[in-house]
């Protein structure tokens, strides 16, 4: 979602920042329910929802219902396309995009692949996309037969490159004299990471500051744990259920992060040069493991398995926080993977695909 919003910002700057009519030129099509609709509407982007459901790895008893959902999504997608009539479609993956891709297979399109290894939905979409943009060169082997494959990198928010670490720390009222650890598990949180962190909080806060973004599901437990800390430790702990604009400050403020290995780790961590302890989600096939291994191979991160958190999380964090030379090496390695022009390159590709169609509108 965030890569698409970032590309949209770049697209507006390319076309006409002053005269771009967002309400009539862009339509975001997403799934029913969830956080997506609220976050897109916060950006003042028109939004419509379609029915959709995954079929890969689904229990046999649920499969017929999910196929029916996809069929309904296809029919709704055709109605949206007849009404909106976009010049180009932009897909960033997920099963929600499949009905729209099938319905709009005659419309010029661009597919962006955020993870290194594409999931089943992305592999399906790749057969319908006119152009494919990839985050890392390692993804080429999955699309070797595609005619138009572009290496762009991961589109990151411009704010990530703005401001100093001191300004970012001030956003949270933190002390520049201490090292700062950022812990988060994505928009919904990560229970095993949250529980692992809470169990070792006193030991960590004795040496560092912690910014902890728990997600909404675990927030009551995390908030309660913070309230039980001694006053001296509590003043070095900042916990939140979710961050919007302040997330960029959290990334810039941190000296080390602990997180899942979703696609954003391939783009946002490199932009701020943030060394990482990556804990791949164990139920996401192998996509997060591949992402994590890519950063480990480049010397920018270390990887922990989810089941090893209780034994290895504390010693791994303490070792990296105390070893300044190693962290600096990881920081430089992470920063070397940054692609600050990615959003602009994908936006230009969208314009290229739409050229000759009248450039009336862009439909994500």
């Amino acid at each position: 979602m965030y890569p698409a919003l970032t590309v949209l910002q770049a697209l507006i700057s390319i076309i006409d920042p002053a005269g771009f009519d967002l309400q009539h030129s862009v339509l975001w099509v997403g799934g029913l329910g969830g956080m997506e609709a609220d976050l897109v509407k916060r950006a003042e982007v028109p939004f419509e929802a379609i029915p959709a459901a995954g079929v890969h790895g689904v229990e046999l008893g649920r499969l017929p219902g999910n196929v029916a959902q996809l069929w309904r999504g296809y029919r709704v997608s055709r109605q949206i396309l007849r009404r909106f009539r976009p010049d180009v479609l932009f897909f960033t993956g997920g099963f929600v995009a499949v009905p729209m891709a099938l319905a709009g297979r005659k419309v010029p399109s661009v597919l962006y692949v955020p993870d290194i290894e594409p999931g089943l939905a992305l592999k399906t979409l790749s057969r319908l996309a006119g152009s494919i943009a990839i985050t890392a060169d390692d993804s080429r082997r999955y699309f070797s037969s595609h005619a138009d494959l572009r290496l762009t990198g991961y589109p990151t928010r411009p704010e990530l490159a703005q401001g100093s670490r001191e300004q970012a720390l001030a956003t949270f009222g933190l002390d520049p004299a201490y090292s700062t650890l950022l812990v988060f598990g994505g928009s919904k949180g990560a229970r095993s990471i949250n529980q692992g962190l809470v169990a070792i909080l006193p030991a960590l806060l004795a040496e560092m500051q912690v910014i902890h973004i728990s997600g909404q599901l675990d927030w009551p437990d995390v908030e309660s744990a913070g309230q039980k800390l001694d006053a001296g430790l509590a003043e070095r702990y900042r916990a939140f259920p979710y961050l919007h604009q302040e997330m960029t400050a959290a990334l810039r403020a941190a000296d080390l992060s602990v997180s899942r290995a979703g696609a954003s780790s391939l783009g946002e961590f490199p932009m701020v040069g943030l060394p990482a302890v990556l804990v791949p989600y164990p139920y996401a096939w192998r996509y997060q493991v591949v992402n994590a291994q890519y950063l480990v191979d480049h010397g920018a991160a270390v990887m922990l398995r989810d089941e090893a958190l209780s034994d290895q999380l504390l010693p791994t964090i303490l070792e990296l926080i105390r070893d300044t030379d190693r962290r600096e090496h990881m920081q430089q390695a992470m920063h070397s993977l940054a692609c600050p022009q990615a959003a602009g390159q994908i936006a230009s590709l969208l314009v290229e695909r739409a050229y000759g169609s009248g450039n009336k509108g862009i439909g994500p």
Side-chain angles (χ1 to χ4, degrees), residues 7 54 56 66-67 73 92 103 114 123 128 240 266 291 327 351:
V7 169
H56 180 58
N66 285 16
V67 172
T92 57
K123 290 176 182 176
L128 304 169
F240 308 91
L266 300 173
N291 290 344
R327 272 196 294 111
V351 173

Side-chain angles (χ1 to χ4, degrees), residues 12-84:
I12 292 172
S13 68
I14 288 174
I15 296 176
D16 182 5
F20 192 87
D21 185 357
L22 186 65
Q23 294 300 312
H24 295 91
S25 297
V26 176
L27 178 63
W28 190 294
V29 180
L32 293 167
M35 298 177 61
E36 182 183 22
D38 290 338
L39 293 175
V40 171
K41 289 173 183 177
R42 281 173 63 94
E44 300 182 344
V45 177
F47 178 89
E48 290 197 33
I50 63 172
V55 295
H56 180 58
V58 173
E59 297 175 3
L60 191 60
R62 294 174 51 198
L63 189 58
N66 285 16
V67 172
Q69 280 279 82
L70 287 172
W71 172 246
R72 286 192 290 271
Y74 171 76
R75 293 175 62 185
V76 175
S77 296
R78 290 187 62 184
Q79 295 170 6
I80 291 172
L81 290 171
R82 283 196 295 266
R83 183 173 67 252
F84 186 68

